[in-house]
Amino acid sequence: MADILVDTASQANYNDIITEHVAFDWSVDFNTKLVSGSATLDMITKKDDLREVILDTWDLNLKKVSVNGTEVSYHLKPKHAVMGSALHIPLAKVSKTGSAITISIEYETTEGCTALQWLEKGQTQGKTFPYLFSQCQPIYARALAPLQDTPSNKIKYSAKVSSTLPVLMSARIVSPPSDGPPHDGKVIGKDVVTYTFTQPVPIPCYLLAIAVGNVRYRPFSKPEGKQWTSGIWAEPELIEASYWEFSEDTTRFLALEEKIVTDYKFGVYDLLVLPPSFPYGGMENACLTFLTPTLLTGDRTLVDVVVHELTHSWFGNGVTHANPSHFWLNEGWTTYIERVLQGSLHSPAERGFSYVIGAKAMYDSLKSYESNPKYQRLVIEFEEGEDPDEAYSSIPYEKGANFILHLERTLGGLEVFLPYVKDYVETFIGKSITTAQWKEHLFGYWEKNGGPEKIKALNSVDFEAWFYGEGVELPVKMEYDITLAETAYNLAARWDAARNTDATKLDFKKSDLDEFNSNQKVVFLERLQSYPALPSALVLHLGDLYQLATSPNAEIRLRFYEVALADAKSSAAITLAVDAAKWVTGDDGTGVIKGRMKFCRPVLKAVAKVDKDLAISNWEKAKTKFHPIARKLIDSDLGLTSTKA
Ligand code: BES
Ligand code: ZN
C-alpha cells in the first residue's frame, strides 16, 4: 500500500508554505472567559508565486490580518464540522521559493473554543480561584490560534501572556522565574502580571499548551551533571502530595531514558497536576507534562503514566508522526519504550505484566471497532475531514508496542535492538515522519549493521498484516512473562469456581489481596471479566470484602464497575449502576468528577446498558463540569448526537 502523505484533518496549505516561528501575545480574561491578542507567524514559502496562505481556525473571532505589516482583507470559509474554518489570506506580491513572509493576526477565542476549558472556583482544589487549561492534541490548537494545525510542520514559539493568575505554557519560562515568589509577588487573582516564555525547540503545534491558575512550583532534585531542570506544579493544596507521588521516579526515569536513547533536548521537564476535569491520564506538552489528579493515590502506583509521558519527549515530541494516519509511531513507540524502562528499573517480569494489562485494553478496543474495522488497523487511511478522535483507542498503543516487541524478538532481543532504537531517534529527531520513512530506516539500519541474516529476519515479518490487518487478533500470537499475572489469574479462577457455592461456604478473605500490588488487582478484575458474569450475590460480596466498591484508586474502581455491570440485567448491576454513575459525576459526596475519559466513558457506557435513562439523567446534570472533548464524545456514546464514536 502507498504511503499516506496528506493530513486529512488540516485545511492549511502546508506543502506550499511552512511556519517556522509563532509569537503569541495574549491576555487571559476570567470574566469574559476569553483569550484575546495576536499570533504572528514567521513563514517560508516552498514554491514560487504563492498566491495565498491558508490557516486552520476553529471558532475564532478575527479582528485584523496583516501580511508583512500591511493589513489585508481575508476570507474565512464556512465551518467544516471537524476541521473548522479555513482562513484564506491573499499574498499580493509574487515571490520566489524560500521567501520569508510574516502573517500577523489579531483575534480572540470564543465560547465555542474546543481547546480550552474554563473552570469555576468550585471546580478546583482550592475553590478560591478560577482555572484555565488547554488540550490541543489532536486538532484543537486551531481553536486557540490560527495555525497550520498539522504535526507535519514544527514550530518554535515565544509567548507573552497577561493574567491575574499564574500562567504556565509548554515552553521555558523567561519571566518571572519559577522559583521566585508566586505571581511575581503581586496579589494573586487581582493584579495583572505578564508572563513570558520561549520554546526554542521546534514542536508540532498539538504540543502548544497553556494553564492558568493558582499554581505553585517545587523542583525535583536531579542526578549530577544534568543540563535540564525538573519539577512539579500544582495548586498549593496538592503540591505536597504531588511532589511525594512523583519525586522519586521522574528524574530517575528521565536519566535512564537519556542513557538508552539520547540527551533530553527541551531543557525543562516539569509536571503539572490539573483539576479533575482534565480528560486524559497525561498529555506530553513540551517542557510541561499535564497530569490527571487521579494519579495521586498516595502509593506511587500510577507513576507509569509519567514514564509514558516523559518517553514522548523522544517519541512524539522529538520524532513526530507526520499526520493522523501514523499516530501509532507516537504512541506505539512510546508504549514500547516505557515498558523497556519499567523492565530495566523494576524487573523483566514487570515489563511482561504491562503487556498483559495492555492486551485486555487492546482486545476491548478491537472488539468495539468490529463494525468499523478500518479503525482496527495500525495505519489508518482517513477520509478528508474525518475526526482522528473517533479512531482514538488503545490500538495504536498496544498493537504498535507489540509490533515493535515482535521486531525486537525477531532481530535477536533487547540488547541487539537498543542500538537501533538510538539510531532511529538520532536519525529523525526534530522531524515529522510517516510509517514508510520509519520502515525504510529500519531496513537501512539492519542492512548496514547486520547484513543478510537480519534482512532475512525482517523479511519474515508480515508488515502488511501489522499495518493494515483488521480483526481482533494480532498477526502473531505474542507470549509474555506472566509471573506477576499468575496469582491474579488464580484468584479470579477461585471466584469463578465459587459461582455455584452456597453463600455460607465461601472462603474468601480480605487478606487474599494483601500481597497484590494495584496492577495485580486490576489484572484480577480484568480476568474475572473474561468469565461469564458472576451472580449478583457474589459481585456484592466481592465489592464489600475487598473494598473495591469504595476503592480510591480509579483504575481499580473502574474495573470493579466493569465486573459488576457485566450482566446488565442482574440485580447487582441495577444497584451498582447508580453508584457508578454518581462516582463519575461527583455526586457521591466528593463533588469531584472523574473527568479522565478512560474512566468516565466506559463507566457511563456500562451504566447506559443497564439503564439508559439513569446514565443520561446523571450525565445531563453534570455535563457542564466536563471538558469540551469529553462532552462531545460522551454525548455521542450515549446517542445524544448524530456523530458516532
Ligand atoms: N498523547 C496522549 C494523549 C492524547 C492522545 C491526547 C491523542 C489526545 C489525543 C498521552 O501521551 C497518552 O497516551 N495518555 C494516556 C496515558 C497512558 C497510556 C499511560 C492516557 O491519557 O490515558
Ligand atoms: Zn501517549
Side-chain angles (χ1 to χ4, degrees):
M1 200 165 293
D3 195 18
I4 303 167
L5 296 166
V6 289
D7 189 327
T8 51
S10 170
Q11 301 183 83
N13 55 343
Y14 53 88
N15 286 324
D16 299 343
I17 184 165
I18 57 160
T19 313
E20 289 198 324
H21 183 274
V22 185
F24 300 103
D25 189 342
W26 287 338
S27 147
V28 174
D29 187 339
F30 282 97
N31 294 317
T32 56
K33 298 188 172 165
L34 299 177
V35 171
S36 57
S38 65
T40 302
L41 288 72
D42 291 329
M43 308 183 83
I44 303 284
T45 59
K46 290 279 144 185
K47 67 180 229 195
D48 291 341
D49 300 335
L50 184 66
R51 300 323 300 251
E52 63 170 357
V53 176
I54 309 171
L55 300 178
D56 292 302
T57 75
W58 177 279
D59 281 16
L60 296 176
N61 182 5
L62 304 177
K63 306 263 170 79
K64 184 176 159 187
V65 177
S66 351
V67 177
N68 295 334
T70 307
E71 185 171 355
V72 296
S73 58
Y74 54 87
H75 204 75
L76 194 62
K77 288 279 160 72
K79 183 175 168 184
H80 179 280
V82 171
M83 296 191 285
S85 313
L87 168 59
H88 290 246
I89 303 167
L91 298 178
K93 274 225 205 84
V94 174
S95 63
K96 284 220 166 340
T97 299
S99 303
I101 290 175
T102 300
I103 305 261
S104 190
I105 299 150
E106 286 176 29
Y107 71 100
E108 61 186 14
T109 59
T110 61
E111 218 197 333
C113 182
T114 41
L116 297 175
Q117 189 180 16
W118 297 84
L119 302 178
E120 306 289 345
K121 298 171 188 181
Q123 292 170 272
T124 66
Q125 195 65 31
K127 316 237 177 284
T128 320
F129 300 105
Y131 203 106
L132 166 69
F133 70 87
S134 67
Q135 167 61 41
C136 287
Q137 198 182 16
I139 54 166
Y140 305 107
R142 65 193 68 179
L144 193 53
L147 292 166
Q148 297 186 299
D149 195 359
T150 166
S152 61
N153 184 90
K154 290 191 175 185
I155 56 166
K156 298 178 193 172
Y157 80 82
S158 61
K160 204 169 116 199
V161 185
S162 303
S163 158
T164 53
L165 290 172
V167 181
L168 297 175
M169 289 191 78
S170 54
R172 299 178 207 198
I173 300 171
V174 176
S175 68
S178 326
D179 52 5
H183 207 45
D184 209 19
K186 306 289 185 328
V187 183
I188 295 180
K190 188 163 162 283
D191 295 340
V192 174
V193 170
T194 300
Y195 289 79
T196 55
F197 303 87
T198 175
Q199 180 50 268
V201 181
I203 55 164
C205 64
Y206 69 79
L207 295 177
L208 181 64
I210 182 168
V212 186
N214 185 30
V215 291
R216 297 290 184 280
Y217 179 67
R218 257 192 88 173
F220 293 140
S221 56
K222 58 170 180 173
E224 296 257 313
K226 295 293 177 195
Q227 297 300 309
W228 41 261
T229 65
S230 182
I232 185 145
W233 295 89
E235 287 184 68
E237 296 78 7
L238 283 183
I239 191 76
E240 277 307 309
S242 303
Y243 180 84
W244 187 88
E245 201 80 38
F246 307 118
S247 57
E248 287 266 289
D249 294 302
T250 307
T251 56
R252 217 156 50 105
F253 276 101
L254 206 56
L256 177 63
E257 181 114 21
E258 284 193 303
K259 229 191 254 166
I260 294 184
V261 191
T262 57
D263 287 353
Y264 180 72
K265 303 272 194 299
F266 292 90
V268 176
Y269 184 77
D270 285 348
L271 304 173
L272 169 66
V273 177
L274 283 119
S277 62
F278 181 60
Y280 291 96
M283 175 64 215
E284 68 275 24
N285 295 317
C287 300
L288 183 70
T289 282
F290 282 21
L291 297 173
T292 167
T294 57
L295 303 183
L296 304 177
T297 48
D299 56 10
R300 297 181 175 144
T301 50
L302 301 179
V303 287
D304 55 330
V305 176
V306 174
V307 180
H308 177 95
E309 304 314 332
L310 69 84
T311 296
H312 274 305
S313 306
W314 291 266
F315 303 90
N317 304 12
V319 182
T320 307
H321 67 307
N323 63 55
S325 298
H326 312 288
F327 180 61
W328 80 274
L329 286 173
N330 275 23
E331 298 300 344
W333 264 104
T334 294
T335 303
Y336 167 83
I337 294 292
E338 171 205 335
R339 291 173 184 171
V340 170
L341 299 183
Q342 299 283 7
S344 161
L345 272 181
H346 297 133
S347 67
E350 207 65 57
R351 188 179 181 210
F353 194 45
S354 307
Y355 279 94
V356 171
I357 297 177
K360 161 78 167 61
M362 176 177 63
Y363 183 75
D364 288 351
S365 296
L366 288 167
K367 215 77 208 119
S368 78
Y369 284 132
E370 269 183 324
S371 58
N372 199 357
K374 179 169 99 173
Y375 292 161
Q376 294 173 327
R377 297 176 173 211
L378 196 55
V379 180
I380 300 170
E381 209 168 343
F382 288 100
E383 306 277 332
E384 173 77 12
E386 201 173 337
D387 188 353
D389 261 345
E390 296 220 345
Y392 182 75
S393 79
S394 46
I395 298 165
Y397 295 75
E398 299 298 333
K399 215 187 232 199
N402 275 283
F403 178 31
I404 300 174
L405 178 63
H406 177 61
L407 290 172
E408 172 205 303
R409 290 175 174 172
T410 306
L411 288 158
L414 186 59
E415 291 307 307
V416 184
F417 196 67
L418 284 179
Y420 150 72
V421 175
K422 206 187 225 346
D423 197 87
Y424 166 55
V425 174
E426 281 169 349
T427 303
F428 292 118
I429 199 155
K431 302 203 170 78
S432 302
I433 64 165
T434 62
T435 302
Q437 285 171 286
W438 165 74
K439 190 180 163 199
E440 193 187 325
H441 170 267
L442 174 79
F443 275 80
Y445 175 89
W446 290 102
E447 177 92 71
K448 245 193 291 157
N449 297 283
E453 180 214 340
K454 298 294 183 194
I455 295 301
K456 191 164 160 235
L458 275 180
N459 281 328
S460 75
V461 174
D462 189 348
F463 285 88
E464 289 289 304
W466 281 100
F467 292 152
Y468 311 112
E470 297 177 351
V472 298
E473 303 295 338
L474 290 176
V476 172
K477 178 148 176 40
M478 301 295 289
E479 309 274 345
Y480 316 116
D481 183 331
I482 58 158
T483 323
L484 291 167
E486 253 170 343
T487 43
Y489 289 170
N490 292 339
L491 184 62
R494 277 178 57 210
W495 278 87
D496 173 53
R499 64 177 63 246
N500 298 318
T501 310
D502 189 282
T504 56
K505 301 222 173 70
L506 291 172
D507 66 344
F508 296 107
K509 290 185 223 54
K510 191 164 174 282
S511 60
D512 293 342
L513 295 188
D514 279 359
E515 302 295 306
F516 281 32
N517 66 30
S518 72
N519 272 340
Q520 285 173 304
K521 293 179 194 171
V522 165
V523 169
F524 158 63
L525 290 167
E526 292 195 331
R527 185 72 164 189
L528 268 184
Q529 292 174 52
S530 69
Y531 296 111
L534 290 177
S536 287
L538 221 46
V539 168
L540 296 174
H541 185 48
L542 173 78
D544 289 343
L545 183 69
Y546 298 151
Q547 295 168 322
L548 301 169
T550 52
S551 173
N553 181 320
E555 296 281 352
I556 295 173
R557 193 80 164 258
L558 164 71
R559 270 58 170 217
F560 173 66
Y561 287 135
E562 285 177 337
V563 169
L565 306 188
D567 175 4
K569 302 243 163 2
S570 68
S571 63
I574 292 164
T575 313
L576 286 163
V578 177
D579 292 2
K582 287 183 173 170
W583 178 66
V584 162
T585 56
D587 202 12
D588 55 353
T590 63
V592 179
I593 60 162
K594 295 294 164 299
R596 182 176 178 188
M597 294 195 284
K598 178 179 183 182
F599 304 132
C600 55
R601 288 185 71 189
V603 170
L604 284 172
K605 269 198 223 171
V607 171
K609 276 200 186 134
V610 177
D611 181 343
K612 187 140 194 193
D613 292 342
L614 175 74
I616 291 177
S617 65
N618 276 277
W619 169 241
E620 292 288 3
K621 253 193 297 178
K623 195 166 158 173
T624 56
K625 297 186 187 154
F626 283 77
H627 190 274
I629 302 173
R631 256 182 269 164
K632 172 178 98 173
L633 294 173
I634 293 174
D635 272 349
S636 145
D637 290 346
L638 297 179
L640 301 171
T641 46
S642 52
T643 42
K644 57 178 178 15

